[in-house]
Amino acid sequence: MKPHHLRLRRACAAAAAAGVLITPAVTASAYAAAAPALSTLPSPSPAPSPEFVPLTPAVAARLDAAVRRVMRETQVPGVTVGLWAPGKGSYVKSFGVADKATGAPMTAPLHVRIGSETKTFTVTALLQLVDRGKVALDDPIGTYVTGVPNGDRITLRQLAGMRSGLFNYSLDDGFIKRLQTDPKAPMTPRELLDYSFRHPVQFQPGAQFDYSNTNLILLGLVIEKVTGRPLHDVIDKDVVRPAGLHSTVFPTSPALPSPYAQGYTNQTASGRTENATGWNPSWAWAAGEMVSDLQDLRSWARTLATGKLLTPATQAERLKTTPMNIQGDGYGLGIFDVQGWIGHNGSIPGYEVLPVYLPQAGATMVILLNTDSEYKGQEPSTLFGQAVTSIVSPAHVYPGHKPVS
């Protein structure tokens, strides 16, 4: 995965939010930044901004054309785009099909898997424990989980900030073969860690930024140990419900809540596109197993960026970022700032999501896709994000690079 993704081999090279997507074959070390400097994201209180344009009928027509153009290029089956900004109006529209076999249209209420957006929920649950005095960000992971390489030195903060140095389990050849051979089979968190720990550490704790799904599996185990409850129960009762979300679930089976879009991927053993809707997401667990829909992700993007569920002090710690791989991008604690858009993206076989919040305008953007198949080496959600923000927020174009043409 990337700082938003839960792909297999392609996704697991290092991460820099959407920026890394332009060069997925480059190794993680290429994005390293020794002794990364910390910065603090801008205050997420909305204010009027001339940089976010009014969502007039003329702008809506431009958005329609841009979305359709990206769909033609990428061959994405279905996409839903939602934009909301105080005083600027809204734009919510679905394109294409939710089911290629029946031709059923893509619609806004459909559930999708959200991949690495799950990380934002897991880290929020961890930070709630910080607020309650149950854990501290600078506690070593070895205090809670045994057998972790460098476990006496890697902190919870470094895990949440993708600076642990632990190998990303979803890059392991054995893991990839197992998932592609039997994608409906369950996997346990300990099995996922075994795939990681068979590899040497990549660097010393805190020395670099390197997106690794392994970090979130460990944080999920910390949450379970400290609370004495299953992670899915903690996420549901302590995060999802207090956030006022009604269509967001941490599933305990491959089933999706109805209604849902079918999901398509070419991350298969044959390389051919297949329907991945029923694949078992347990391999992603705390790093990417959750399901949601457009309106819940709209609400969650603002809650996440403004720290509604956390104390101001803990939210401030969350929003301290380290550089990723392009200017204007930074990663905090289970959250990123990409050209001013705060949030996280997500990709898992069959689906991609991009829910982000722009504090300068109080604006929210949510993009949902029912495929994760790349186009010329780039994630389709990145290309849609680029096309949309080029129109509505030209001073904050996500992700800050020119897409392949």
Side-chain angles (χ1 to χ4, degrees), residues 43-48 86 302 306 357-363:
S43 170
S45 30
R302 180 180 173 87
T306 58
Y357 181 78
L358 183 65
Q360 291 87 338

Side-chain angles (χ1 to χ4, degrees), residues 12-337:
C12 297
V20 75
L21 303 180
I22 58 174
T23 51
V26 179
T27 61
S29 60
Y31 303 104
L38 291 176
S39 63
T40 301
L41 300 183
S43 170
S45 30
S49 172
E51 297 172 340
F52 193 93
V53 304
L55 297 169
T56 63
V59 169
R62 292 177 61 199
L63 288 168
D64 289 353
V67 171
R68 290 191 175 105
R69 173 182 56 78
V70 177
M71 286 191 74
R72 287 194 301 270
E73 292 173 349
T74 60
Q75 297 298 298
V76 165
V79 58
T80 295
V81 177
L83 294 163
W84 304 266
K88 307 283 185 171
S90 63
Y91 171 94
V92 178
K93 193 160 186 178
S94 296
F95 303 79
V97 299
D99 187 330
K100 294 198 293 185
T102 67
M106 190 73 167
T107 60
L110 295 177
H111 291 86
V112 297
R113 301 196 192 278
I114 64 173
S116 287
E117 182 69 15
T118 302
K119 292 179 172 68
T120 65
F121 290 88
T122 300
V123 174
T124 297
L126 176 77
L127 295 177
Q128 289 177 323
L129 295 178
V130 171
D131 278 340
R132 291 166 51 197
K134 300 296 185 180
V135 303
L137 282 171
D138 295 317
D139 287 346
I141 183 60
T143 302
Y144 305 97
V145 182
T146 60
V148 181
N150 281 342
D152 59 335
R153 299 172 54 210
I154 296 171
T155 66
L156 305 186
R157 184 191 304 272
Q158 289 164 343
L159 291 168
M162 300 297 177
R163 293 162 56 210
S164 71
L166 295 172
F167 184 84
N168 189 339
Y169 69 85
S170 46
L171 276 176
D172 178 82
D173 287 338
F175 164 83
I176 294 170
K177 181 177 180 180
R178 176 179 172 183
L179 181 61
Q180 292 184 335
T181 299
D182 189 3
K184 295 186 178 181
M187 297 191 203
T188 68
R190 283 290 179 176
E191 288 175 318
L192 302 177
L193 293 180
D194 287 344
Y195 285 116
S196 171
F197 297 167
R198 67 179 57 171
H199 298 269
V201 295
Q202 308 299 290
F203 51 83
Q204 292 306 303
Q208 301 178 10
F209 172 87
D210 181 32
Y211 195 86
S212 173
N213 295 324
T214 303
N215 298 337
L216 270 290
I217 303 305
L218 288 167
L219 293 181
L221 292 175
V222 170
I223 293 166
E224 290 195 330
K225 182 178 180 68
V226 172
T227 64
R229 298 152 55 199
L231 180 63
H232 66 84
D233 182 71
V234 176
I235 296 293
D236 178 55
K237 293 178 180 175
D238 298 359
V239 182
V240 169
R241 295 188 194 179
L245 307 181
H246 305 289
S247 299
T248 300
V249 296
F250 196 119
T252 56
S253 77
L256 286 90
S258 295
Y260 57 86
Q262 301 291 311
Y264 303 91
T265 187
N266 61 6
Q267 292 201 85
T268 58
S270 67
R272 293 189 295 270
T273 296
E274 297 177 8
N275 188 320
T277 308
W279 286 20
N280 194 319
S282 61
W283 69 270
W285 197 50
E289 190 168 355
M290 292 178 67
V291 175
S292 190
D293 70 1
L294 179 75
Q295 289 298 332
D296 266 15
L297 290 177
R298 171 195 177 185
S299 178
W300 178 245
R302 180 180 173 87
T303 294
L304 178 67
T306 58
K308 175 182 174 182
L309 301 183
L310 304 173
T311 65
T314 297
Q315 180 71 358
E317 290 300 308
R318 174 171 225 168
L319 297 181
K320 292 178 180 177
T321 65
T322 55
M324 292 189 287
N325 73 327
I326 59 177
Q327 187 175 1
D329 290 0
Y331 199 86
L333 303 180
I335 198 169
F336 65 48
D337 175 6

